[in-house]
Structure formats: C-alpha cells, structure tokens
Amino acid sequence: SGLYKLTDRIWAVVFLYLAFFLFGSFSYYVVFGKRNKRMEVVYENSTNLFHNFLFFLIAYLFFRYSLLIVKGTTLYKLIVQNNLPLDLKLLFYLDKISLAYFFYIISKNKITKKEKHFAVLFFVTYMLKFSKMDIMSLFVGTLLALWNNRKIKLKHIFFLMLMMFCLLCFLHFFRVKGNNSTDSFFGAIGNMLAVYLLSPLKAFDMLINETVSMANGRTFVLVTNIVRKVLGINLVNSTKAFDGWVYVPYPTNVYTCLYPFYSDFKIAGVIFFGIILGFFWTFIYEMRYKKSFYIIYIALLYILVFQFFSDILFTYASGCLQTIFWCFFVVKLKDKRINKKFRIYFKV
C-alpha cells in the first residue's frame, strides 16, 4: 500500500474503543431489556401536495446539478470552494427532508407509481452531487431497506456493491483529472483505495503518537459553532497550528471516528464515547420496529459502517439532527392516526 507502518499504540486504543462500545451496547439491554420484535404498522394518509412539492424540488435540483456538470463543475466542487449560488444555498437545507421521504418510500412493501417516479429521480439527482459520502450513505440505506423487504438477495447485494465500486472509481478519477492530476486511471484508483480504506488508521496513529499537533474542540463542534455565531464567544482557544491534513505519505484529512474524542479528552474520551455510541446504536437498532425509528435506522446506518473512515455523527451533528427530525416529520405526516389538523394542509 505504500503507507507508513502502524505502531502498537493504535491497536490498544482501537481495542479499548471496541471493548467499551460493546459494553455500552450490553448496558442498553441491562437497562431496557429486549424490545418487542413486531413492526409498527402505519396507515397512510394521502399527502399529494407534500409529494408534489418534493418532486418539483428534486426535478429543479436535477436540472441545476446537470447544468453545473455541463459548465464543467459539480455541486461538490462548489461546496469545497464555498461558492454555492444563492438558490442552491437555500435548497440545500431541504435536502434532508427529501432524503427522509425517499427512505420512507423504499421501506414500504407496496410503492405507488408516482412514488417510484420520485424515488428514481431522487436517486439519480443524489448521484449528480458527486459527493462520495452522500452517494455511499444513499447506497447503504437503500440496500438495507431493500434487503429487509426481501426485494433483493445476497447475490444482488454483491452485484450492486461491484457496480457502486465502479461508479466511485470513475467519480474519483473524474475529480483527480479535474485537479490536473497526471495519474493513470488505475494509479488514481490505487491511491483512492489507499487513502479511503487504509490512511485513516495511520493518520490517527500519527495523532495519538503526537507526530503532528492536533486541534481540539471537535467533539462538540455544533455547540461551539452555535455559541460563536450567536453570542460571539469562542469556546475553543486552540493555539495549535493544524490545518487538518497529514501525510501517510498520501495526503489525508480523515482519522477514523475516534479523532474528536481523543483530541479533546484522550483515552477517557475513547472510553466514555465508546460507551455512549454503543448505547446509542443499540437503542436505534432495538427501536427500529417503530416506523419513524426504522427510517432513522436506514438513514443513519452508513455512519456506523464508516466508523473506520471518519467521524460523522459529531462532526456533522447538524445534518444528523436534521435527518432525524425530518424522518419523524415524514412518518407523522403519513400516519393517519395523527390529529387531522396536522394533516389537512398537506392533503390537497
């Protein structure tokens, strides 16, 4: 792989995290016991206005993302450059509600024709974002929903994973060529595998061995950002010069999910948040028999899958909380048992 050799210290930290993650999971069952395994049935309310609004929104985004590609750029590039047009900045905040509605649709056993049209358009539009993490989050949730509904078999999963890998390879090659890279196709793919699959462990290894300085205040970045923007108070007073990049020897800025906990609280943070995350994910898993929690489960599972890569739950807490809120909103909106006053405005 060409990566620097890992030290023994990182394996001790990773083992400690996994041990306390399992302890947190076990603690959930000690406190609450096993849940009833019966899936909650939601009797659907017709929400034509809501559906049509989201369909129009996704159709507009499909047009805009396609236009960006024609102009030689992508949504991902504009986000990195902090150069989003005003309309995309505004619609960016409605991204999570469309995602929640998509997962609600594909989690159903019977999907109407208009819902199929929305699901296909949404899936294609999400691909046009050219963000590998967004694409993988959609892919993981879709596979899980289809598998749980017995709509795909194991052989289909392997085939779809191969197709997704090929798509990510071409996406990565498109990106590096856009950065004037001289790598061949296979060279670019080899670098991608090294960076995304192997480099996070080595990058974190360098941090815990103090080969590079580390920034603090990453665990509660949502809180610190809110306090800074609203009150003008900076809760993080770090004097360490760290731009987020290390060389392993490939340049990388991902350090596994352990980075924020260790950078802020060292081993105590790995132990404490290992317990918290074990408890949290077991809670989500056991509550998935309620419809709203099931949508949250398939929408957020990619975070658990990509713990080896980077922290998402805390670093992007705002997006995760938005996803959770909209999942509850969509299920409540579709549930006929909810008060009619809540539903009437979306029934047209």
Side-chain angles (χ1 to χ4, degrees), residues 189-212:
I189 302 312
N191 289 341
M192 181 191 78
L193 293 177
V195 169
Y196 288 104
L197 296 182
L198 303 176
S199 71
L201 270 178
K202 183 55 197 175
F204 183 63
D205 187 32
M206 295 176 70
L207 291 176
I208 63 177
N209 284 287
E210 300 182 353
T211 305
V212 294

PDB file of all heavy atoms in Angstrom, residues 189-212:
ATOM      1  N   ILE A 189      -7.067   4.991  -8.927  1.00  0.00           N
ATOM      2  CA  ILE A 189      -7.897   4.080  -8.148  1.00  0.00           C
ATOM      3  C   ILE A 189      -7.094   3.473  -7.000  1.00  0.00           C
ATOM      4  O   ILE A 189      -7.597   3.314  -5.880  1.00  0.00           O
ATOM      5  CB  ILE A 189      -8.486   2.960  -9.042  1.00  0.00           C
ATOM      6  CG1 ILE A 189      -9.309   3.581 -10.165  1.00  0.00           C
ATOM      7  CG2 ILE A 189      -9.329   2.000  -8.224  1.00  0.00           C
ATOM      8  CD1 ILE A 189     -10.291   4.640  -9.743  1.00  0.00           C
ATOM      9  N   GLY A 190      -5.826   3.118  -7.281  1.00  0.00           N
ATOM     10  CA  GLY A 190      -4.974   2.596  -6.214  1.00  0.00           C
ATOM     11  C   GLY A 190      -4.776   3.604  -5.100  1.00  0.00           C
ATOM     12  O   GLY A 190      -4.844   3.264  -3.919  1.00  0.00           O
ATOM     13  N   ASN A 191      -4.562   4.859  -5.465  1.00  0.00           N
ATOM     14  CA  ASN A 191      -4.435   5.916  -4.461  1.00  0.00           C
ATOM     15  C   ASN A 191      -5.735   6.098  -3.683  1.00  0.00           C
ATOM     16  O   ASN A 191      -5.718   6.335  -2.471  1.00  0.00           O
ATOM     17  CB  ASN A 191      -4.045   7.237  -5.124  1.00  0.00           C
ATOM     18  CG  ASN A 191      -2.614   7.217  -5.635  1.00  0.00           C
ATOM     19  OD1 ASN A 191      -1.809   6.394  -5.210  1.00  0.00           O
ATOM     20  ND2 ASN A 191      -2.305   8.116  -6.559  1.00  0.00           N
ATOM     21  N   MET A 192      -6.871   5.989  -4.375  1.00  0.00           N
ATOM     22  CA  MET A 192      -8.171   6.134  -3.710  1.00  0.00           C
ATOM     23  C   MET A 192      -8.347   5.068  -2.644  1.00  0.00           C
ATOM     24  O   MET A 192      -8.762   5.353  -1.510  1.00  0.00           O
ATOM     25  CB  MET A 192      -9.309   6.042  -4.730  1.00  0.00           C
ATOM     26  CG  MET A 192     -10.693   6.202  -4.118  1.00  0.00           C
ATOM     27  SD  MET A 192     -12.063   5.796  -5.234  1.00  0.00           S
ATOM     28  CE  MET A 192     -12.042   3.994  -5.170  1.00  0.00           C
ATOM     29  N   LEU A 193      -8.036   3.818  -2.980  1.00  0.00           N
ATOM     30  CA  LEU A 193      -8.180   2.723  -2.021  1.00  0.00           C
ATOM     31  C   LEU A 193      -7.253   2.909  -0.826  1.00  0.00           C
ATOM     32  O   LEU A 193      -7.647   2.657   0.317  1.00  0.00           O
ATOM     33  CB  LEU A 193      -7.898   1.383  -2.713  1.00  0.00           C
ATOM     34  CG  LEU A 193      -8.912   0.961  -3.782  1.00  0.00           C
ATOM     35  CD1 LEU A 193      -8.469  -0.338  -4.440  1.00  0.00           C
ATOM     36  CD2 LEU A 193     -10.298   0.790  -3.171  1.00  0.00           C
ATOM     37  N   ALA A 194      -6.024   3.344  -1.110  1.00  0.00           N
ATOM     38  CA  ALA A 194      -5.064   3.558  -0.028  1.00  0.00           C
ATOM     39  C   ALA A 194      -5.532   4.674   0.903  1.00  0.00           C
ATOM     40  O   ALA A 194      -5.467   4.549   2.127  1.00  0.00           O
ATOM     41  CB  ALA A 194      -3.689   3.894  -0.602  1.00  0.00           C
ATOM     42  N   VAL A 195      -6.030   5.756   0.316  1.00  0.00           N
ATOM     43  CA  VAL A 195      -6.439   6.911   1.112  1.00  0.00           C
ATOM     44  C   VAL A 195      -7.709   6.638   1.904  1.00  0.00           C
ATOM     45  O   VAL A 195      -7.783   6.908   3.108  1.00  0.00           O
ATOM     46  CB  VAL A 195      -6.628   8.156   0.209  1.00  0.00           C
ATOM     47  CG1 VAL A 195      -7.311   9.286   0.974  1.00  0.00           C
ATOM     48  CG2 VAL A 195      -5.287   8.608  -0.337  1.00  0.00           C
ATOM     49  N   TYR A 196      -8.720   6.058   1.251  1.00  0.00           N
ATOM     50  CA  TYR A 196     -10.015   5.928   1.905  1.00  0.00           C
ATOM     51  C   TYR A 196     -10.146   4.689   2.788  1.00  0.00           C
ATOM     52  O   TYR A 196     -10.928   4.691   3.743  1.00  0.00           O
ATOM     53  CB  TYR A 196     -11.135   5.928   0.858  1.00  0.00           C
ATOM     54  CG  TYR A 196     -11.355   7.290   0.247  1.00  0.00           C
ATOM     55  CD1 TYR A 196     -10.903   7.571  -1.041  1.00  0.00           C
ATOM     56  CD2 TYR A 196     -11.965   8.307   0.952  1.00  0.00           C
ATOM     57  CE1 TYR A 196     -11.077   8.825  -1.605  1.00  0.00           C
ATOM     58  CE2 TYR A 196     -12.148   9.566   0.411  1.00  0.00           C
ATOM     59  CZ  TYR A 196     -11.706   9.816  -0.874  1.00  0.00           C
ATOM     60  OH  TYR A 196     -11.867  11.062  -1.413  1.00  0.00           O
ATOM     61  N   LEU A 197      -9.410   3.638   2.492  1.00  0.00           N
ATOM     62  CA  LEU A 197      -9.541   2.416   3.286  1.00  0.00           C
ATOM     63  C   LEU A 197      -8.460   2.277   4.348  1.00  0.00           C
ATOM     64  O   LEU A 197      -8.723   1.737   5.428  1.00  0.00           O
ATOM     65  CB  LEU A 197      -9.510   1.182   2.363  1.00  0.00           C
ATOM     66  CG  LEU A 197     -10.650   1.060   1.359  1.00  0.00           C
ATOM     67  CD1 LEU A 197     -10.507  -0.225   0.559  1.00  0.00           C
ATOM     68  CD2 LEU A 197     -12.012   1.100   2.059  1.00  0.00           C
ATOM     69  N   LEU A 198      -7.252   2.742   4.069  1.00  0.00           N
ATOM     70  CA  LEU A 198      -6.128   2.467   4.954  1.00  0.00           C
ATOM     71  C   LEU A 198      -5.573   3.695   5.663  1.00  0.00           C
ATOM     72  O   LEU A 198      -5.092   3.591   6.794  1.00  0.00           O
ATOM     73  CB  LEU A 198      -5.002   1.799   4.148  1.00  0.00           C
ATOM     74  CG  LEU A 198      -5.384   0.505   3.413  1.00  0.00           C
ATOM     75  CD1 LEU A 198      -4.214   0.017   2.574  1.00  0.00           C
ATOM     76  CD2 LEU A 198      -5.814  -0.574   4.404  1.00  0.00           C
ATOM     77  N   SER A 199      -5.638   4.845   5.001  1.00  0.00           N
ATOM     78  CA  SER A 199      -4.976   6.022   5.573  1.00  0.00           C
ATOM     79  C   SER A 199      -5.585   6.532   6.884  1.00  0.00           C
ATOM     80  O   SER A 199      -4.851   7.087   7.713  1.00  0.00           O
ATOM     81  CB  SER A 199      -4.942   7.157   4.552  1.00  0.00           C
ATOM     82  OG  SER A 199      -6.235   7.697   4.340  1.00  0.00           O
ATOM     83  N   PRO A 200      -6.920   6.404   7.122  1.00  0.00           N
ATOM     84  CA  PRO A 200      -7.451   6.941   8.386  1.00  0.00           C
ATOM     85  C   PRO A 200      -6.778   6.363   9.628  1.00  0.00           C
ATOM     86  O   PRO A 200      -6.497   7.103  10.580  1.00  0.00           O
ATOM     87  CB  PRO A 200      -8.941   6.562   8.322  1.00  0.00           C
ATOM     88  CG  PRO A 200      -9.242   6.480   6.870  1.00  0.00           C
ATOM     89  CD  PRO A 200      -8.007   5.927   6.243  1.00  0.00           C
ATOM     90  N   LEU A 201      -6.505   5.046   9.613  1.00  0.00           N
ATOM     91  CA  LEU A 201      -5.843   4.438  10.771  1.00  0.00           C
ATOM     92  C   LEU A 201      -4.449   5.022  10.979  1.00  0.00           C
ATOM     93  O   LEU A 201      -4.057   5.329  12.108  1.00  0.00           O
ATOM     94  CB  LEU A 201      -5.756   2.924  10.590  1.00  0.00           C
ATOM     95  CG  LEU A 201      -6.920   2.084  11.117  1.00  0.00           C
ATOM     96  CD1 LEU A 201      -6.687   0.619  10.813  1.00  0.00           C
ATOM     97  CD2 LEU A 201      -7.115   2.295  12.613  1.00  0.00           C
ATOM     98  N   LYS A 202      -3.687   5.153   9.899  1.00  0.00           N
ATOM     99  CA  LYS A 202      -2.336   5.690  10.035  1.00  0.00           C
ATOM    100  C   LYS A 202      -2.364   7.154  10.435  1.00  0.00           C
ATOM    101  O   LYS A 202      -1.530   7.608  11.248  1.00  0.00           O
ATOM    102  CB  LYS A 202      -1.557   5.515   8.723  1.00  0.00           C
ATOM    103  CG  LYS A 202      -0.114   6.000   8.827  1.00  0.00           C
ATOM    104  CD  LYS A 202       0.624   5.315   9.978  1.00  0.00           C
ATOM    105  CE  LYS A 202       1.898   6.036  10.374  1.00  0.00           C
ATOM    106  NZ  LYS A 202       2.529   5.431  11.558  1.00  0.00           N
ATOM    107  N   ALA A 203      -3.311   7.914   9.902  1.00  0.00           N
ATOM    108  CA  ALA A 203      -3.422   9.330  10.270  1.00  0.00           C
ATOM    109  C   ALA A 203      -3.730   9.465  11.758  1.00  0.00           C
ATOM    110  O   ALA A 203      -3.131  10.295  12.456  1.00  0.00           O
ATOM    111  CB  ALA A 203      -4.519   9.995   9.435  1.00  0.00           C
ATOM    112  N   PHE A 204      -4.651   8.632  12.254  1.00  0.00           N
ATOM    113  CA  PHE A 204      -4.973   8.668  13.686  1.00  0.00           C
ATOM    114  C   PHE A 204      -3.782   8.197  14.514  1.00  0.00           C
ATOM    115  O   PHE A 204      -3.522   8.710  15.609  1.00  0.00           O
ATOM    116  CB  PHE A 204      -6.199   7.798  13.960  1.00  0.00           C
ATOM    117  CG  PHE A 204      -6.646   7.820  15.393  1.00  0.00           C
ATOM    118  CD1 PHE A 204      -7.094   8.992  15.974  1.00  0.00           C
ATOM    119  CD2 PHE A 204      -6.610   6.672  16.162  1.00  0.00           C
ATOM    120  CE1 PHE A 204      -7.503   9.020  17.299  1.00  0.00           C
ATOM    121  CE2 PHE A 204      -7.018   6.687  17.478  1.00  0.00           C
ATOM    122  CZ  PHE A 204      -7.462   7.870  18.052  1.00  0.00           C
ATOM    123  N   ASP A 205      -3.051   7.221  13.995  1.00  0.00           N
ATOM    124  CA  ASP A 205      -1.853   6.723  14.663  1.00  0.00           C
ATOM    125  C   ASP A 205      -0.838   7.856  14.848  1.00  0.00           C
ATOM    126  O   ASP A 205      -0.196   7.978  15.899  1.00  0.00           O
ATOM    127  CB  ASP A 205      -1.247   5.595  13.826  1.00  0.00           C
ATOM    128  CG  ASP A 205      -0.087   4.914  14.527  1.00  0.00           C
ATOM    129  OD1 ASP A 205      -0.102   4.845  15.773  1.00  0.00           O
ATOM    130  OD2 ASP A 205       0.841   4.458  13.833  1.00  0.00           O
ATOM    131  N   MET A 206      -0.695   8.690  13.836  1.00  0.00           N
ATOM    132  CA  MET A 206       0.236   9.819  13.932  1.00  0.00           C
ATOM    133  C   MET A 206      -0.216  10.829  14.981  1.00  0.00           C
ATOM    134  O   MET A 206       0.606  11.435  15.679  1.00  0.00           O
ATOM    135  CB  MET A 206       0.367  10.496  12.565  1.00  0.00           C
ATOM    136  CG  MET A 206       1.010   9.617  11.505  1.00  0.00           C
ATOM    137  SD  MET A 206       1.040  10.384   9.873  1.00  0.00           S
ATOM    138  CE  MET A 206       2.265  11.677  10.138  1.00  0.00           C
ATOM    139  N   LEU A 207      -1.535  10.990  15.114  1.00  0.00           N
ATOM    140  CA  LEU A 207      -2.056  11.938  16.093  1.00  0.00           C
ATOM    141  C   LEU A 207      -1.845  11.453  17.519  1.00  0.00           C
ATOM    142  O   LEU A 207      -1.430  12.219  18.392  1.00  0.00           O
ATOM    143  CB  LEU A 207      -3.546  12.191  15.835  1.00  0.00           C
ATOM    144  CG  LEU A 207      -3.876  12.960  14.562  1.00  0.00           C
ATOM    145  CD1 LEU A 207      -5.373  13.069  14.368  1.00  0.00           C
ATOM    146  CD2 LEU A 207      -3.261  14.346  14.601  1.00  0.00           C
ATOM    147  N   ILE A 208      -2.138  10.181  17.773  1.00  0.00           N
ATOM    148  CA  ILE A 208      -2.015   9.693  19.153  1.00  0.00           C
ATOM    149  C   ILE A 208      -0.551   9.545  19.561  1.00  0.00           C
ATOM    150  O   ILE A 208      -0.236   9.535  20.759  1.00  0.00           O
ATOM    151  CB  ILE A 208      -2.764   8.359  19.365  1.00  0.00           C
ATOM    152  CG1 ILE A 208      -2.171   7.244  18.512  1.00  0.00           C
ATOM    153  CG2 ILE A 208      -4.245   8.529  19.082  1.00  0.00           C
ATOM    154  CD1 ILE A 208      -2.834   5.899  18.742  1.00  0.00           C
ATOM    155  N   ASN A 209       0.342   9.438  18.584  1.00  0.00           N
ATOM    156  CA  ASN A 209       1.770   9.393  18.887  1.00  0.00           C
ATOM    157  C   ASN A 209       2.404  10.777  18.814  1.00  0.00           C
ATOM    158  O   ASN A 209       3.629  10.905  18.867  1.00  0.00           O
ATOM    159  CB  ASN A 209       2.479   8.441  17.928  1.00  0.00           C
ATOM    160  CG  ASN A 209       2.223   6.982  18.277  1.00  0.00           C
ATOM    161  OD1 ASN A 209       2.755   6.459  19.253  1.00  0.00           O
ATOM    162  ND2 ASN A 209       1.376   6.326  17.488  1.00  0.00           N
ATOM    163  N   GLU A 210       1.568  11.798  18.665  1.00  0.00           N
ATOM    164  CA  GLU A 210       1.988  13.199  18.671  1.00  0.00           C
ATOM    165  C   GLU A 210       3.043  13.510  17.613  1.00  0.00           C
ATOM    166  O   GLU A 210       3.922  14.355  17.803  1.00  0.00           O
ATOM    167  CB  GLU A 210       2.486  13.597  20.069  1.00  0.00           C
ATOM    168  CG  GLU A 210       1.402  13.433  21.137  1.00  0.00           C
ATOM    169  CD  GLU A 210       1.876  13.862  22.518  1.00  0.00           C
ATOM    170  OE1 GLU A 210       3.082  14.158  22.651  1.00  0.00           O
ATOM    171  OE2 GLU A 210       1.057  13.895  23.439  1.00  0.00           O
ATOM    172  N   THR A 211       2.927  12.795  16.481  1.00  0.00           N
ATOM    173  CA  THR A 211       3.798  13.116  15.348  1.00  0.00           C
ATOM    174  C   THR A 211       3.410  14.460  14.752  1.00  0.00           C
ATOM    175  O   THR A 211       4.255  15.194  14.227  1.00  0.00           O
ATOM    176  CB  THR A 211       3.680  12.019  14.276  1.00  0.00           C
ATOM    177  OG1 THR A 211       3.954  10.758  14.874  1.00  0.00           O
ATOM    178  CG2 THR A 211       4.653  12.250  13.130  1.00  0.00           C
ATOM    179  N   VAL A 212       2.109  14.777  14.837  1.00  0.00           N
ATOM    180  CA  VAL A 212       1.610  16.089  14.404  1.00  0.00           C
ATOM    181  C   VAL A 212       0.766  16.665  15.528  1.00  0.00           C
ATOM    182  O   VAL A 212       0.260  15.933  16.389  1.00  0.00           O
ATOM    183  CB  VAL A 212       0.768  15.980  13.117  1.00  0.00           C
ATOM    184  CG1 VAL A 212       1.610  15.541  11.951  1.00  0.00           C
ATOM    185  CG2 VAL A 212      -0.414  15.033  13.325  1.00  0.00           C
TER     186      VAL A 212
END
